Amino acid sequence: AWQGLVRALVALGRLEEAVPACEHLLKVTPTDARAWNAYGTVLNKLGRRDQAAFAQRQAAQLAPARG
């Protein structure tokens, strides 16, 4: 349900509201690479580059590239 909320908020351009939704999602699913990726995307769109880079690194560590 929270993933859908995050997607909807992003689609509506309500990025500031998407941040706490992402943070809640990460509290309940801290090892979900997709959740970290979504968080990174939202932060990047808000211009929070350092935080976005951290979130993207977390996503990459949880779901390494498949060769």
Side-chain angles (χ1 to χ4, degrees):
W2 283 94
Q3 287 177 334
L5 175 61
V6 170
R7 281 192 297 269
L9 290 170
V10 171
L12 292 169
R14 294 164 59 178
L15 301 176
E16 290 291 343
E17 293 175 69
V19 171
C22 285
E23 290 169 347
H24 177 79
L25 181 58
L26 288 169
K27 284 181 186 174
V28 296
T29 59
T31 59
D32 185 343
R34 293 174 299 168
W36 281 104
N37 187 54
Y39 189 43
T41 299
V42 169
L43 292 170
N44 192 50
K45 288 182 178 193
L46 287 170
R48 300 181 191 176
R49 305 284 187 253
D50 291 340
Q51 292 173 297
F54 174 80
Q56 295 298 335
R57 283 193 302 274
Q58 292 294 109
Q61 288 176 359
L62 292 167
R66 292 177 174 89

